[in-house]
Amino acid sequence: MSLINPSNRSKGPHKGFSKRTENNRIYAHPLPLVLFTPPDPSPLQRALGLVGISSTQVLNPHCEGVFDAATRSVWVDKHGGAMVLWQRGFFGKGDLSRSEPSWLARQINARKMAGKGLTSEEVTAKRRAERKQFKLDRARAMAAAAAEAEVAFAEGRVVSPGYAPDGTRIIPSAATWKPSLSTAAEQAPPTPDDAPEEGEEGDGEEEPLEDLEHLQLTLQEAFFLLWNLDCLTVLSPDTHEPLTLPQIWDTFQNAHHPPHLSALPPAPSPSPSPLPSIPPSPSPAPALRRFDNPFLVNYVVYHHYRSLGWVVKNGIKFCVDYLLYKRGPVFHHAEFAIVVCPVYEDPADQASSPFELQNATPFTWSWLSTINRVNSQVQKTLILTYITIPAHSRLSPDVLSSPACFAHYSVREVVLRRFIPTRMRD
Amino acid sequence: MQNHPSYPKLSQLIAKYPKASAALFQVYNDLLLAQRWSDIEVLDLPACSRGAIKGRRPITDTETIRSTCVVVPCSIAESLSTSWFHAAFASLGDPPPEEMYLAITTEDASTVYYKISKGIVKPPV
């Protein structure tokens, strides 16, 4: 789906055949690592293939991102492989866009005022404006029909409210309404003339726009990519040196320990790691490490679903923690909405916790009902994912010095559907 | 974050309220660059321990002039109370505005905006 070039846009809920094949081509790889089999094997490779040694190579894009402590995320820009991470697995989100980092393309479109190749935000904005116009038309038509019915009643006539004498529908329906030409003309140019462009603006025509957007990966996504697939390098924000895995392990957990350390110099502290030459990075002393660190809890859930093949994205728009997509957001709407419910094995840990984990205490039935209703209306199934946080009394904090601690968490799911006895009899 | 062109304008408030810095930075960039608001200025709300953003937003269908709105950023992990909202309205000026926007941010740079009004508001027809 090229953002700047025109494409065949088909209206309605069904994507056209060309758009589907285009999406299948662009988003063909479910993960950043690509298995590549050379098409013409040499005789040696064929011989090795008989023995069982395949000539398939693993192509690694080697993306690069910078850790940002304040926003608790890893920023990847275009040169670091942002589009690769998005197109192969839908990792991350453009920080100025709804999904794919398309801010620069939108600005270029706005400048050109061509409007031929619309990005997803512009498509949505246009659709919303049309729907608003449709609702206004419909409301007007209904009011007029009601007024006419009143008049007819007062005179003693009987009038059929839905259809005009010549058989056409008076009140527009969503399927048959078309945007009128006048409204289309009003909406056609977006409003770039009021807001000044970011940065330089003389005549503005030829000035190259700086791309101010980056792809933002949550710590869970970044850790998944670097620990499991080894396709992401995370640089330190101060020195721009690649961080080693133990440093990343500590840094990602530290991000949730107050205070934020991005503006302050790192305080030297005895690092528990055995490597001697690490620059002084603020790592928590072993006693401060906790199993209920939000990074760890969310990572367990993220890893659980990603390893099963789901694409996991943030669910704030539907009042939940995560959304599960079968192939990706461009293909179909999410089927499942996940609410993460952490459960403490030892209640004393919850009392002494410096973090306030969401949903760690049972919710009220009304809140649960609300979330379920919101999601049923958008045809998503609500899943409560319970994750058990191991007790500090049972395990020593040294367990937390490596990702091996994940083996001690357990995940259970409960699927929630509203039962309506009258309607669900079959 | 320090290398971003928006950082200098926000550096004072980021240093003053480090816990709210991520939300402020994200919402500021979203309004300035993505939503194309103009006349953006940053306010300091000590009662809420954070900065807020005031600006004029682009015209929607139902308006004829560009209205000035105030956006208060927060993170999804925070818990807010009605007294917090009262304090926010009180610190937004005298007389306080009738409504403000609450911008809720997440770690993956999603932002959702909620309109908060003082008291009950009749829904539009």
Side-chain angles (χ1 to χ4, degrees):
Chain A
M1 181 172 62
S2 175
L3 298 168
I4 306 179
N5 301 331
S7 57
N8 305 337
R9 279 183 52 246
S10 42
K11 292 209 196 300
H14 304 293
K15 293 191 169 122
F17 178 68
S18 61
K19 188 159 189 183
R20 254 209 315 274
T21 45
E22 184 70 8
N23 278 349
N24 282 335
R25 186 185 64 77
I26 299 176
Y27 301 103
H29 303 289
L31 287 176
L33 299 180
V34 175
L35 297 176
F36 170 69
T37 312
D40 301 320
S42 66
L44 173 65
Q45 284 172 329
R46 265 194 234 129
L48 287 174
L50 285 175
V51 179
I53 303 172
S54 82
S55 59
T56 305
Q57 302 161 334
V58 175
L59 300 178
N60 190 327
H62 292 297
C63 305
E64 209 170 69
V66 180
F67 172 70
D68 186 77
T71 55
R72 293 186 196 133
S73 54
V74 173
W75 295 10
V76 182
D77 64 8
K78 251 199 327 241
H79 310 291
M83 288 318 286
V84 167
L85 289 178
W86 172 258
Q87 284 170 357
R88 299 184 193 170
F90 304 98
F91 290 92
K93 177 185 157 310
D95 77 317
L96 297 173
S97 312
R98 277 179 59 201
S99 55
E100 182 181 9
S102 64
W103 179 79
L104 192 64
R106 295 203 308 275
Q107 303 308 306
I108 292 174
N109 263 354
R111 276 192 173 178
K112 276 197 215 159
M113 284 177 43
K116 274 195 291 179
L118 294 174
T119 58
S120 69
E121 283 82 355
E122 287 157 355
V123 169
T124 307
K126 190 159 178 221
R127 204 189 313 132
R128 280 180 185 159
E130 283 178 0
R131 182 142 181 87
K132 199 171 204 168
Q133 184 60 37
F134 159 68
K135 284 185 176 167
L136 283 175
D137 284 349
R138 187 177 61 182
R140 230 180 285 139
M142 282 171 67
E148 198 193 313
E150 288 277 325
V151 165
F153 182 72
E155 291 175 10
R157 274 191 291 137
V158 171
V159 78
S160 139
Y163 295 89
D166 62 357
T168 57
R169 276 192 133 212
I170 297 185
I171 300 180
S173 74
T176 54
W177 180 87
K178 288 271 181 296
S180 62
L181 284 174
S182 58
T183 53
E186 278 161 29
Q187 294 155 22
T191 58
D193 37 279
D194 344 34
E197 296 283 353
E198 163 68 12
E200 46 302 288
E201 252 312 294
D203 50 306
E205 293 301 338
E206 306 307 321
E207 304 265 10
L209 267 180
E210 192 193 337
D211 192 3
L212 295 166
E213 188 177 26
H214 58 265
L215 184 83
Q216 188 149 328
L217 296 172
T218 60
L219 298 180
Q220 288 79 31
E221 289 173 321
F223 196 72
F224 182 83
L225 288 169
L226 62 96
W227 184 48
N228 296 287
L229 305 178
D230 196 24
C231 61
L232 178 71
T233 318
V234 179
L235 307 179
S236 150
D238 315 306
T239 62
H240 285 274
E241 292 293 314
L243 297 169
T244 62
L245 190 56
Q247 285 175 312
I248 291 177
W249 179 245
D250 289 338
T251 314
F252 281 11
Q253 286 180 72
N254 277 344
H256 286 276
H257 278 276
H260 289 281
L261 303 159
S262 56
L264 307 172
S269 61
S271 170
S273 168
L275 297 172
S277 57
I278 312 171
S281 72
S283 58
L288 277 184
R289 284 191 172 149
R290 296 193 54 102
F291 286 101
D292 60 350
N293 189 307
F295 165 66
L296 298 175
V297 172
N298 284 315
Y299 183 76
V300 172
V301 177
Y302 186 85
H303 183 105
H304 176 74
Y305 290 108
R306 265 286 181 186
S307 58
L308 291 172
W310 294 99
V311 171
V312 184
K313 305 299 290 177
N314 189 268
I316 188 178
K317 292 197 186 93
F318 300 104
C319 201
V320 293
D321 291 311
Y322 293 111
L323 297 176
L324 296 185
Y325 292 87
K326 210 152 153 198
R327 269 183 86 189
V330 300
F331 293 104
H332 197 266
H333 293 297
E335 264 190 63
F336 296 104
I338 308 281
V339 175
V340 177
C341 304
V343 175
Y344 283 88
E345 193 185 321
D346 183 359
D349 287 343
Q350 189 169 8
S352 64
S353 172
F355 314 110
E356 272 179 36
L357 283 182
Q358 300 279 335
N359 302 327
T361 51
F363 359 126
T364 57
W365 68 265
S366 53
W367 185 235
L368 181 63
S369 227
T370 309
I371 303 183
N372 194 20
R373 186 65 82 102
V374 163
N375 283 289
S376 327
Q377 279 180 335
V378 287
Q379 279 124 35
K380 295 190 201 313
T381 306
L382 185 66
I383 298 185
L384 304 177
T385 301
Y386 288 91
I387 163 167
T388 311
I389 299 176
H392 278 278
S393 51
R394 184 169 58 89
L395 298 168
S396 91
D398 293 335
V399 171
L400 283 166
S401 55
S402 83
C405 65
F406 291 137
H408 297 282
Y409 293 80
S410 68
V411 176
R412 292 181 315 284
E413 290 123 345
V414 174
V415 177
L416 213 71
R417 304 213 70 159
R418 190 165 156 243
F419 176 66
I420 306 170
T422 50
R423 267 193 252 159
M424 288 169 163
R425 215 168 321 165
D426 307 313
Chain B
M1 194 197 275
Q2 284 84 342
N3 301 329
H4 197 276
S6 306
Y7 185 80
K9 292 190 202 71
L10 305 172
S11 56
Q12 211 184 4
L13 283 171
I14 287 178
K16 190 173 176 191
Y17 306 117
K19 279 200 223 155
S21 57
L24 178 65
F25 181 77
Q26 192 180 313
V27 174
Y28 181 82
N29 282 328
D30 188 48
L31 292 176
L32 177 68
L33 302 171
Q35 308 289 343
R36 319 288 300 284
W37 283 31
S38 61
D39 302 339
I40 293 185
E41 51 176 285
V42 185
L43 316 167
D44 187 342
L45 302 182
C48 307
S49 320
R50 61 194 67 228
I53 300 165
K54 183 162 88 162
R56 291 196 309 152
R57 58 180 212 190
I59 291 202
T60 58
D61 294 333
T62 50
E63 298 167 346
T64 42
I65 51 160
R66 304 186 62 170
S67 47
T68 302
C69 315
V70 178
V71 177
V72 179
C74 78
S75 145
I76 186 141
E78 298 185 53
S79 300
L80 308 174
S81 60
T82 42
S83 52
W84 188 94
F85 286 113
H86 281 304
F89 273 114
S91 36
L92 283 175
D94 193 18
E98 274 308 306
E99 60 199 24
M100 69 173 193
Y101 289 88
L102 182 70
I104 308 178
T105 61
T106 61
E107 286 173 11
D108 78 331
S110 299
T111 317
V112 285
Y113 295 90
Y114 281 87
K115 189 169 172 180
I116 313 275
S117 310
K118 281 191 85 166
I120 288 188
V121 177
K122 262 179 71 174
V125 178

